[in-house]
């Protein structure tokens, strides 16, 4: 009589996966795992984030590997299935395999998944790899899963680089500041600004970030110029999904020295240049472990806890900090700064703005006019947008969100670097996306260099191509932004060629 088979499931969660520093041929190994029914054999999952060999560039490679040392037989025959759990709930997986494993042997697929598809399978930047192992046939008896976790260390730093006497800066004369780590009170990196003369003598501006530890890899950077009226993004680059990871420590700004001097009254304050910088470093493997899972709760313990004080019930009668913050916003007591649109002023608290937005913090802590006047001009935002922006900064929630407001809030969140609000808005826009709105959202993502949002919209467009390309809205986009429209339509043929 066939008693069925035990199926062992291993979930390997890799946190901050997009910040993997690995080059082609470099591996990431899961913690070692085993199970009672696997005859003493021990296993790892083996991942090559940028492919195992030169032939696999542009793909991730994934394998199940038997340990070099275990208590199992010389040769072990198992069946297994490897898969990646996608952000939207679908699964990208290899076919089932039936193989014999000697010690230190790995089997899987070199071209498991395309690197440029990884955006869609990283909710909260966590890659979840699933491996199922079983022996024999028959009905499945699932065993409690094994959960492994690996975390790629990252360091996010936001800082202000102020260059005094900017107009007197000489070619190749470096203005360097020390960047301190938020986690450790020590110099983490150096930021150097200088310009070089080009053929047109306009002065190419360059910001070079040099980490103190050569093993720290810069994976993302954004530099914005804090002008007297606006925040101008002038250097934004992200190498996390490069097939061959580019070195982004030294990159030119989109504004030249001459362009800054030509608009001195707008870009400089008392001949000082203010650059708001956000950088993210990959700092190596932070930790990895097999996590214990609690499967049963003792009934006696549960009954005991029910007899103890009804703390939760008692606490519910008190006002939470979220409610207190909302009341602070609604009552407008002790405000010390104003946000001014073209038609209305909105009182606020500097400490709240600084805590929620690095851009507001830079404005309030630097020698710019907002600090002395206690007034921030937001002429490019409507009254409804500023009201909802402030409500979110105080309450961390958004109420009665509509498409048009969500688009404008996304713009405001990107401008003032309120990343959570930006994520909330982009999620709302994607969930409410229709063929007639696709062009608008594509343009928004392209304008703000949001590659993740743009690729989601591109997928939607290709899935609804007849409705999208035949709409009046797409025709309008083709007239105002022809290059963007053509590139998007070309994806249809590019994808067909790859299939």
């Amino acid at each position: 009589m066939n008693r069925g088979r035990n199926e062992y499931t291993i979930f390997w969660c890799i946190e901050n996966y997009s910040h993997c520093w690995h080059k082609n041929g470099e591996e990431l190994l899961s913690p070692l795992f085993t199970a009672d029914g696997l005859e003493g054999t021990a296993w790892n999952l083996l991942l090559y984030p940028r492919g195992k060999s030169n032939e696999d560039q542009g793909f991730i490679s994934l394998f199940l590997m038997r340990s070099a040392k275990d208590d199992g037989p010389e040769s072990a025959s198992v069946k297994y299935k490897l898969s990646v759990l996608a952000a939207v709930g679908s699964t990208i997986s290899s076919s089932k395999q039936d193989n014999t494993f000697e010690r230190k042997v790995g089997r899987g697929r070199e071209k498991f998944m395309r690197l440029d598809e990884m955006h869609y399978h990283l909710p909260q930047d966590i890659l979840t790899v699933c491996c199922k192992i079983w022996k024999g046939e028959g009905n499945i008896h699932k065993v409690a899963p094994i959960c492994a976790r690996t975390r790629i260390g990252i360091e996010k730093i936001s800082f202000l680089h102020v260059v005094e006497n900017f107009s007197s800066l000489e070619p190749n004369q470096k203005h360097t500041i020390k960047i301190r780590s938020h986690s450790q009170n020590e110099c983490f990196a150096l930021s150097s600004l200088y310009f070089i003369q080009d053929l047109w003598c306009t002065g190419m501006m360059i910001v070079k970030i040099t980490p103190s530890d050569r093993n720290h890899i810069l994976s993302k950077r954004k530099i914005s110029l804090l002008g007297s009226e606006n925040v101008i993004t002038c250097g934004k680059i992200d190498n996390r999904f490069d097939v061959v990871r580019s070195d982004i420590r030294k990159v030119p700004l989109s504004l030249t020295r001459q362009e800054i001097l030509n608009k001195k009254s707008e870009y400089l304050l008392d001949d000082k240049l203010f650059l708001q910088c956000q950088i993210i470093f990959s700092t190596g493997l932070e930790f990895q472990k097999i996590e214990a899972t609690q499967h049963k709760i003792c009934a006696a313990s549960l009954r005991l806890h029910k007899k103890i004080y009804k703390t939760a019930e008692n606490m519910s009668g008190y006002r939470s900090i979220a409610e207190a913050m909302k009341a602070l916003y609604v009552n407008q007591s002790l405000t010390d700064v104003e946000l001014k649109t073209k038609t209305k002023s909105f009182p606020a608290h500097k400490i709240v703005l600084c805590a929620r937005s690095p851009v507001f913090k830079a404005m309030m802590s630097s020698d710019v006019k907002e600090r002395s006047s206690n007034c921030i001009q937001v002429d490019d935002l409507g009254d409804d947008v500023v009201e909802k922006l402030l409500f979110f900064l105080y309450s961390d929630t958004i109420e009665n969100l509509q498409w048009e407001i969500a688009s404008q809030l996304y713009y405001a969140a990107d401008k003032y670097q309120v990343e959570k609000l930006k994520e909330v808005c982009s999620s709302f826009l994607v969930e409410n996306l229709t063929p007639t709105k696709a062009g608008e959202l594509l343009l928004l993502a392209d304008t703000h260099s949001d590659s993740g949002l743009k690729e989601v919209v591109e997928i939607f467009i290709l899935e609804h191509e007849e409705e999208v390309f035949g709409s009046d809205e797409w025709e309008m986009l083709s007239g105002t932004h022809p290059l963007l429209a053509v590139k998007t339509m070309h994806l249809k043929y590019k994808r067909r060629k790859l299939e």
Side-chain angles (χ1 to χ4, degrees), residues 49-50 58-60 113-119 241-243:
R50 285 181 171 78
F59 292 84
I60 67 168
M113 190 165 70
R114 292 184 60 88
L115 187 61
D116 56 12
E117 295 176 350
M118 293 304 298
H119 294 282
F241 297 99
D242 290 353
V243 173

Side-chain angles (χ1 to χ4, degrees), residues 15 45 51 55 59 70 80 136 152 156 188 240 256 283 318 349 368-369 409-410 461-462 464 466-467 470:
E15 299 178 6
L45 292 173
E55 291 75 21
F59 292 84
D70 61 28
Y80 67 95
I152 306 298
K156 296 182 180 180
F188 185 84
R240 291 175 298 163
T256 65
T283 57
Y318 301 112
H349 300 83
V368 294
K369 71 177 185 178
L409 266 178
Y410 176 94
I461 290 174
L462 294 180
H464 303 82
E466 291 187 8
E467 297 170 274

Side-chain angles (χ1 to χ4, degrees), residues 49-91:
R50 285 181 171 78
K52 183 180 179 182
S53 64
N54 289 334
E55 291 75 21
D56 310 322
Q57 285 194 358
F59 292 84
I60 67 168
S61 305
L62 182 60
F63 303 90
L64 173 65
M65 183 172 181
R66 186 178 171 188
S67 174
K69 295 180 180 180
D70 61 28
D71 298 327
E74 288 296 322
S75 181
S77 296
V78 299
K79 298 179 180 181
Y80 67 95
K81 179 181 179 181
L82 298 172
S83 60
V84 165
L85 303 187
V88 294
S90 59
T91 300

Side-chain angles (χ1 to χ4, degrees), residues 142-160:
K142 292 188 177 181
V143 180
I146 301 168
C147 298
R149 188 171 297 273
T150 296
R151 179 180 295 166
I152 306 298
I154 61 173
E155 183 84 23
K156 296 182 180 180
I157 302 177
S158 178
F159 64 95
L160 191 66

Side-chain angles (χ1 to χ4, degrees), residues 403-447:
W403 178 276
E404 185 176 352
I405 291 293
S407 299
Q408 296 172 33
L409 266 178
Y410 176 94
Y411 163 82
D414 187 57
K415 177 180 179 179
Y416 295 108
Q417 298 175 11
V418 187
E419 297 301 328
K420 184 175 181 180
L421 176 58
K422 184 178 175 182
E423 187 67 29
V424 169
C425 292
S426 59
S427 296
F428 173 86
L429 293 168
V430 169
E431 288 173 4
N432 293 274
L433 186 57
T434 64
T436 58
K437 296 290 188 181
E440 178 185 341
L441 190 54
L442 178 70
L443 179 58
L444 183 70
D446 184 70
T447 302

Side-chain angles (χ1 to χ4, degrees), residues 293-323:
T293 304
Q294 184 178 3
H295 303 293
K296 295 182 180 179
I297 300 176
C298 176
S301 175
L302 188 60
R303 288 193 297 270
L304 176 64
H305 281 285
K306 284 184 177 180
K307 294 179 181 179
I308 302 177
Y309 303 105
K310 298 179 180 180
T311 305
E313 183 178 331
N314 294 335
M315 291 290 287
S316 64
Y318 301 112
R319 187 165 68 170
S320 68
I321 188 171
E323 292 170 332

Side-chain angles (χ1 to χ4, degrees), residues 18-48:
S18 68
H19 296 275
C20 282
W21 64 90
H22 305 74
K23 300 176 182 177
N24 177 253
E26 294 181 344
E27 67 184 42
L28 182 62
L29 195 66
S30 79
L32 191 69
F33 60 87
T34 186
D36 293 339
L38 294 177
E39 300 180 310
T41 55
W43 307 82
N44 296 96
L45 292 173
L46 183 62
L47 179 72
Y48 292 85

